[in-house]
Amino acid sequence: MSIVLKLKKNDYDKILAYCEQGLPNESCGLLAGTVEGEVKTVTKVYLLTNIDNSNEHFSMDPKEQFAALKDARANGAVILGNFHSHPETPSRPSKEDKRLAYDSGIEYLILSLQERDNPVLKAFGIDKDKNVTIHQIDIV
């Protein structure tokens, strides 16, 4: 089973710009779209507020999460996953990221801005036992 996440270039650019604007803190959001077998296609990116205002962790605004979920459903999409930035660390799930990964069916995207001129976006699956697998991202 090899999951592929398809992300439009303009959605990638939107995530990157949002995370850069959020520095020095972590930024976060949700991804909605469609699932066909092993292919998850992002159709909408929701930029959410990190209510923690922290460079080491994030909490998504619950009202914004609910609004995103309602909007996705209204448009026939499902929540495919979430994203957050790591302002100062590599693109890999931290202990806290793994601990807070409650849904093994979604994608966890992490955008590392450790090297400002070389952002690194990776997608991860995190199972119920907190095992991490890297998933492919196709920017189309």
Side-chain angles (χ1 to χ4, degrees):
M1 168 171 116
S2 68
I3 292 177
V4 176
L5 184 75
K6 290 194 172 184
L7 183 65
K8 290 191 281 287
K9 173 80 168 83
N10 61 332
D11 283 337
Y12 167 79
D13 292 341
K14 183 176 171 181
I15 291 169
L16 178 60
Y18 185 65
C19 292
E20 286 176 335
Q21 286 163 9
L23 290 170
N25 294 329
E26 289 191 1
S27 297
C28 56
L30 293 171
L31 306 169
T34 59
V35 180
E36 291 177 45
E38 301 298 303
V39 179
K40 298 179 179 184
T41 304
V42 175
T43 56
K44 188 150 185 191
V45 173
Y46 299 93
L47 306 174
L48 304 187
T49 304
N50 175 2
I51 57 175
D52 291 347
N53 287 316
S54 167
N55 68 344
E56 292 179 349
H57 50 88
F58 72 98
S59 297
M60 295 180 188
D61 182 304
K63 288 190 194 82
E64 292 175 0
Q65 284 186 72
F66 185 67
L69 190 61
K70 272 179 62 174
D71 183 76
R73 282 191 185 139
N75 289 292
V78 295
I79 297 297
L80 298 176
N82 64 46
F83 72 86
H84 74 279
S85 59
H86 279 186
E88 299 161 14
T89 55
S91 178
R92 65 172 176 253
S94 66
K95 281 192 179 110
E96 183 176 2
D97 292 337
K98 287 189 253 188
R99 185 175 62 78
L100 296 173
Y102 294 117
D103 187 342
S104 61
I106 68 167
E107 300 297 305
Y108 295 91
L109 276 68
I110 299 174
L111 176 67
S112 172
L113 298 172
Q114 189 175 21
E115 295 177 47
R116 289 296 302 281
D117 55 351
N118 183 30
V120 178
L121 180 68
K122 291 185 181 173
F124 301 93
I126 303 175
D127 71 17
K128 62 185 183 338
D129 298 320
K130 307 304 180 188
N131 297 307
V132 176
T133 49
I134 295 182
H135 294 166
Q136 180 178 333
I137 300 178
D138 286 351
I139 296 178
V140 293

